Amino acid sequence: MSEKVLYTLIATGAILFLSLIGLNAQQSSGEVISIGGDDIGGVVTSTRGQEAGVWVIAETAELPTKFVKIVVTDDRGRYLLPQLPKANYKVWVRGYGLVDSIPVQATPGKVVNLNATMAPDAKAAAQYYPAIYWFSMLRVPDKSEFPGTGPSGNGIPESMKSQGQWLHLLKTDSCWSCHQLGDKATREIPNSLGHFDSSTAAWARRILSGQAGNNMVNGLGQLGPERALPMFADWTDRIAAGELAPTPPRPQGVERNVVITEWDWADPKAYLHDEIATDKRNPILNANGLIYGATELSTEYLPVLDPANSVTSQVKLPVRDPKTPSSADDKVVAPSLYWGEEAIWHSQANVHNPMFDAQGRVWITSRIRPSENPAFCKEGSSHPSAVLFPLKTSGRQLAVYDPKTKQVTLINTCFGTHHLVFAEDANNTLWTSSGGGGGAVGWLDTKMFDATHDEEKSQGWTALILDTNGNGKRDEYVEPDQPVDPTKDKRIAGAFYGVTVSPVDGSIWGTLLGFPGAVVRLIPGADPPKTALAEVYELPWNNPNAPVHGFSPRGLDIDRNGVVWTVIGSGHLASFDRRKCKGPLNGPTATGQHCPEGWTLYQLPGPQLQGVSDPGSAEASYYDWVDQFDTFGLGKNVPIATGNGNDALLALLPDSGKFVVLRVPYPMGFYAKGMDGRIDDPKAGWKGKGLWATYGTRTPFHAEGGKGTTSKVLHFQLRPDPLAH
C-alpha cells in the first residue's frame, strides 16, 4: 500500500469518525438537524438539559458592513441559522435565566452544538431583561396626589389634574419619545457623572447632558421637578441597592419561528428616525432593492443599505437657503458622558420620515429653508388655501430623491411636514402631518408637480373644521377658544401628528397629541381648501358611557377595512371603528366623546408601572403600522406596534387579542419609530418577504455596546417552524 493511499484512508477514517461523533452527539438527544450549505445549526444544552426559547446569535465583521443573524431554539433546544453569507461567524447563546455563552467560531454548512451558561444568580440574569421590566419598577405619583398643588405643595404642577395626564408626559409625549428609560444607561448613575450629595442632585445634572439638555429640562418642567426628580432618584437608588426587575417570558409558539437579520448602516454619532423599503400601497415595489433611512437632527445624509450585498452608502441632502437652521445651533448644555463638550448633531435638513412613491422615488420631510414662509402662503396671497387659512411659518418642507437620476428635488411648502402618506388616487396625492403644530393639514398633488414643477400650484392645505351645525357642508366657523355655536361650524386647534389614508373611502385620518388626545377623520370634498370637513373622536377617558378607558395617541395606521389603529400612552394598542358609532357623528354634541363604543383597547405586553392601578402596560409605544398585505406571515391587516420598552415589535392577532412579541435580544436597546413590510419574491414563501425597521433611538450610545454602537437596519422574517431553511 502506498504512503499516499494510507494517508487518504487515515484522513477519510478521521472525517468519518468526527462525523459520527457529531451525529452521536445529536442522536444522544434524539436530535438530527438538516444543515444546508449556507446554514449553521445544532442543539443548545445547559447543565439542566436542552434549552428551549433562547436565542442563538451569529455575528461577523467580514462583510462590507457588520452583519448579525438571530434565531430562537425550538422546544427541544434545536436551532438553525439560515441564509448566511459566506464568512466566519462568532456564535453564542443568550436567553432569560442565562448569561451569554462563550462565542464559538463557525462557518456556514456546519453543525455546531452550543453550551448555554446558566446565570449564577438573579442579578446576573436580570441584566439581559428589556428596559420595560426595569422601568416598571418606577413608583409614580399616586392618584391621590392629583390635582397637583405646585412647587410649594406636592411638586406636581397645578395644571396636572389626573395621574393619566401626568403619565402621558412621562411616557409617549416626552421622555420616551426620544429614547428608552430602563436600559442600563438610564437605570444606573455612573460614577463618571461626578460626585453629588444625593441621587436627586445627580438626576438634576444628568438631564442637562448633551444637545438635548434643554429638551429634557423642558420635559421635566412639565412633570414638576420637585416631584419627578426624587421619583427617578428613588428608582435608581433601589436598583443600586439590589432590587431587581420582574422576569420576562421566553419566546413561545410562533415567536420561536422568527428570524432577525441586522446590518450596521450609520456612524456612531448619527441616530435614525425610521426607514422605508417599499411603497405602502404596493409591497412588491423595490423588491430586493435598497433601504433608505432618515436621520432627523443628526446628519446631512440619508443612510442607504443594499441588503443583498451588505453594502451601505449615503445620499447627501441639500438645502435651498444657506441660512437654514441647523441642529448644530443646539449647544451642549452640560458635557455628555459619551461625547463630552462635542456637539455631535449637525443637520440642516432634519429629515424625519421617508416614503416610496409608485415610481420608486423616495419622498422625505426635509427642512430646506428658515421657518418664515414665502408670500404666497401668507395673508394677502391669492393662493386658494392661503385665502382661507394663511400660514406664517413652517418648520420643515418636502424633498424627493430619484434613485435613477441620483437627484434630490426640494419643494417649498407653506405647511409643516412630519409624517407622509400617499393616497390611493389618480393624482398620487401626498398627505402630510405637521407633527401636531401649525393648525393645518397639507398635501401635494405629485402628478401636477411632476407635470409642471410648480410647487405653489401643486400644494394645498386646510384647517380642521367640525360640521357643528350638522348641515353636511362647511360654513362660517368659531375658533377653538370660542364656545360652540349650534348655527356655525368649529375649528379644532392643533394638527395631525400621525397620518394615514383610508383605502375604503379616501378619508384622511390623523392623531391629535395631548390628553386625552384624539383621532380625526378628514373628508376632503370636491375642493379641499373650501370643502374639507373633520370629525373628532377623543380617546375614552373618564367617560361613564365608555366600556374602556385610555389616553394619548401618537402614531397611527389603518387596515383595508377602514379601521384605525393607534398606540396610546396608557399602554395599549387601540382600534377605532367608525362603523360602530351609534349616535350622530356631526352636530353640536359631536365634539369628541360621542362614540366611546367605537374604541377597543388591547393591553400591550409587559408589566405595569408601580403606583398605577388602571389596566395597561408600562410600554410607551411610539408608532404602529398595519400589515395590510401580509408581508410578514401572520395574515392580512395585522396591526404591529413599536415595542419601545420591550426591545421588540408587537404584532396583535385581532381574532385572539394576543400579541406576538418580535423581540430583538441583541444588541439590547432596540427602539423603533416605524416599520414597513416588503415582498421580494411572492413565490419564495417566508424567504421572499418580511418586515423592515431600524434602531430609532436618539441615543444609540445607550444601547448595548455603548459609545461606538451604531443604528442598525433589521429584517424580521417568519418561518413555518424554527428549523426551516
Side-chain angles (χ1 to χ4, degrees):
M1 182 180 297
S2 70
E3 185 177 55
K4 182 177 180 181
V5 172
L6 179 60
Y7 286 155
T8 300
L9 288 173
I10 292 172
T12 304
I15 293 171
L16 178 59
F17 177 70
L18 291 174
S19 298
L20 287 172
I21 289 176
L23 183 59
N24 287 336
Q26 296 174 63
Q27 286 179 335
S28 65
S29 302
E31 317 298 348
V32 178
I33 299 172
S34 171
I35 301 296
D38 60 355
D39 303 330
I40 296 173
V43 181
V44 175
T45 56
S46 70
T47 54
R48 66 181 180 185
Q50 298 163 337
E51 289 288 347
V54 299
W55 293 281
V56 177
I57 304 166
E59 180 178 54
T60 184
E62 293 184 358
L63 302 176
T65 193
K66 188 176 178 181
F67 178 94
V68 175
K69 184 86 75 170
I70 304 171
V71 297
V72 188
T73 58
D74 70 4
D75 57 0
R76 289 184 283 174
R78 301 176 298 177
Y79 78 94
L80 188 135
L81 290 154
Q83 297 180 292
L84 292 167
K86 186 176 181 181
N88 292 298
Y89 291 87
K90 293 191 304 181
V91 184
W92 75 96
V93 181
R94 171 171 289 185
Y96 302 138
L98 309 175
V99 295
D100 283 357
S101 65
I102 298 173
V104 301
Q105 298 293 322
T107 56
K110 304 293 185 181
V111 172
V112 181
N113 295 323
L114 298 170
N115 293 318
T117 305
M118 299 299 299
D121 52 45
K123 182 178 180 180
Q127 304 311 308
Y128 297 92
Y129 298 170
I132 187 176
Y133 290 86
W134 294 95
F135 177 61
S136 71
M137 297 167 61
L138 197 70
R139 291 174 179 159
V140 302
D142 188 79
K143 286 183 177 182
S144 63
E145 297 186 54
F146 297 90
T149 56
S152 59
N154 65 6
I156 298 172
E158 295 177 16
S159 59
M160 289 290 166
K161 305 302 182 184
S162 69
Q163 186 189 62
Q165 185 181 2
W166 195 89
L167 287 174
H168 101 272
L169 287 173
L170 173 69
K171 297 173 72 179
T172 54
D173 287 350
S174 184
C175 304
W176 277 88
S177 62
C178 292
H179 60 78
Q180 288 184 336
L181 284 173
D183 53 17
K184 188 175 179 64
T186 56
R187 68 177 182 258
E188 298 177 356
I189 299 179
N191 292 331
S192 55
L193 187 66
H195 174 74
F196 302 91
D197 293 337
S198 68
S199 296
T200 299
W203 268 95
R205 163 61 182 86
R206 86 182 309 176
I207 66 167
L208 298 174
S209 301
Q211 287 169 279
N214 284 324
N215 289 341
M216 290 189 281
V217 169
N218 291 337
L220 181 70
Q222 295 180 75
L223 293 172
E226 295 83 2
R227 181 65 179 86
L229 285 175
M231 175 196 67
F232 285 120
D234 168 73
W235 176 54
T236 49
D237 284 348
R238 287 187 286 119
I239 291 172
E243 191 171 329
L244 298 177
T247 304
R250 287 184 176 185
Q252 301 291 329
V254 71
E255 295 169 353
R256 297 180 178 178
N257 299 348
V258 175
V259 179
I260 299 172
T261 311
E262 300 175 3
W263 298 263
D264 283 13
W265 75 330
D267 65 80
K269 298 177 184 178
Y271 74 86
L272 270 288
H273 188 275
D274 53 12
E275 56 66 48
I276 196 70
T278 188
D279 184 352
K280 180 178 175 65
R281 303 161 296 177
N282 175 23
I284 63 173
L285 183 132
N286 192 42
N288 298 298
L290 304 179
I291 313 296
Y292 295 85
T295 57
E296 203 172 21
L297 291 165
S298 62
T299 78
E300 298 285 25
Y301 64 82
L302 301 180
V304 184
L305 171 73
D306 173 3
N309 299 296
S310 299
V311 172
T312 62
S313 57
Q314 298 177 355
V315 174
K316 299 298 182 183
L317 297 169
V319 294
R320 185 172 291 184
D321 187 334
K323 296 181 181 179
T324 301
S326 170
S327 56
D329 301 332
D330 299 329
K331 303 304 180 185
V332 173
V333 180
S336 160
L337 290 176
Y338 304 90
W339 305 102
E341 297 280 359
E342 182 182 1
I344 62 172
W345 297 339
H346 301 268
S347 177
Q348 289 180 292
N350 190 15
V351 173
H352 186 265
N353 185 229
M355 195 66 62
F356 266 102
D357 69 9
Q359 301 177 47
R361 299 176 299 183
V362 181
W363 292 78
I364 53 177
T365 56
S366 186
R367 184 167 56 189
I368 70 171
R369 58 166 172 81
S371 62
E372 184 74 15
N373 273 345
F376 79 84
C377 309
K378 299 179 181 179
E379 190 171 356
S381 167
S382 61
H383 189 285
S385 295
V387 169
L388 297 166
F389 197 70
L391 297 173
K392 294 181 180 180
T393 61
S394 63
R396 192 189 276 117
Q397 297 78 42
L398 287 172
V400 57
Y401 171 69
D402 189 339
K404 295 178 182 177
T405 63
K406 311 296 184 187
Q407 296 299 309
V408 176
T409 301
L410 305 179
I411 302 164
N412 201 356
T413 63
C414 302
F415 48 88
T417 64
H418 202 67
H419 291 103
L420 302 173
V421 66
F422 279 99
E424 299 181 24
D425 63 7
N427 294 330
N428 285 309
T429 305
L430 181 64
W431 289 88
T432 75
S433 75
S434 64
V441 177
W443 63 88
L444 183 76
D445 182 334
T446 63
K447 181 179 180 181
M448 179 184 291
F449 181 78
D450 285 340
T452 66
H453 288 280
D454 189 325
E455 60 189 11
E456 180 177 343
K457 290 183 178 179
S458 300
Q459 69 179 279
W461 63 93
T462 180
L464 294 174
I465 311 298
L466 300 180
D467 183 17
T468 308
N469 62 21
N471 67 358
K473 61 186 182 70
R474 182 156 150 178
D475 303 300
E476 183 181 354
Y477 56 84
V478 298
E479 292 296 333
D481 59 350
Q482 297 175 319
V484 170
D485 182 340
T487 68
K488 298 179 180 180
D489 293 337
K490 184 175 177 63
R491 183 170 75 87
I492 304 173
F496 290 171
Y497 177 81
V499 63
T500 192
V501 179
S502 172
V504 175
D505 59 11
S507 58
I508 319 304
W509 289 81
T511 49
L512 298 185
L513 299 182
F515 185 86
V519 295
V520 174
R521 178 176 183 252
L522 182 67
I523 307 94
D527 186 6
K530 296 179 180 179
T531 60
L533 281 171
E535 300 167 0
V536 61
Y537 302 97
E538 290 181 347
L539 267 294
W541 175 253
N542 284 350
N543 185 337
N545 299 317
V548 292
H549 295 263
F551 53 84
S552 299
R554 196 166 180 90
L556 91 165
D557 202 3
I558 198 164
D559 65 26
R560 301 303 294 181
N561 300 313
V563 178
V564 174
W565 294 86
T566 181
V567 286
I568 59 177
S570 51
H572 298 86
L573 176 59
S575 69
F576 181 77
D577 189 344
R578 184 175 176 270
R579 298 170 298 182
K580 295 181 179 179
C581 296
K582 298 176 181 178
L585 303 182
N586 295 290
T589 61
T591 56
Q593 290 286 334
H594 56 291
C595 183
E597 62 273 13
W599 290 97
T600 304
L601 272 56
Y602 302 87
Q603 183 171 312
L604 290 165
Q608 181 58 290
L609 288 160
Q610 292 186 17
V612 180
S613 57
D614 293 329
S617 165
E619 180 58 83
S621 290
Y622 187 92
Y623 223 86
D624 65 285
W625 176 81
V626 177
D627 192 0
Q628 297 180 356
F629 302 104
D630 190 20
T631 62
F632 182 54
L634 290 175
K636 294 181 179 180
N637 290 323
V638 169
I640 308 175
T642 58
N644 296 83
N646 272 288
D647 283 5
L649 301 179
L650 307 173
L652 175 68
L653 303 178
D655 292 341
S656 67
K658 295 181 179 179
F659 282 91
V660 176
V661 179
L662 311 177
R663 183 156 286 148
V664 180
Y666 173 77
M668 289 180 286
F670 173 62
Y671 175 107
K673 289 185 176 178
M675 73 196 85
D676 68 337
R678 187 172 75 188
I679 299 174
D680 294 319
D681 184 352
K683 299 179 180 179
W686 72 270
K687 291 182 288 186
K689 59 184 182 179
L691 304 177
W692 293 89
T694 185
Y695 279 67
T697 175
R698 287 196 180 193
T699 54
F701 36 86
H702 281 188
E704 180 183 358
K707 184 177 179 180
T709 301
T710 72
S711 178
K712 303 167 193 307
V713 187
L714 295 92
H715 192 205
F716 296 80
Q717 294 174 288
L718 188 67
R719 296 187 281 189
D721 64 78
L723 300 180
H725 295 271

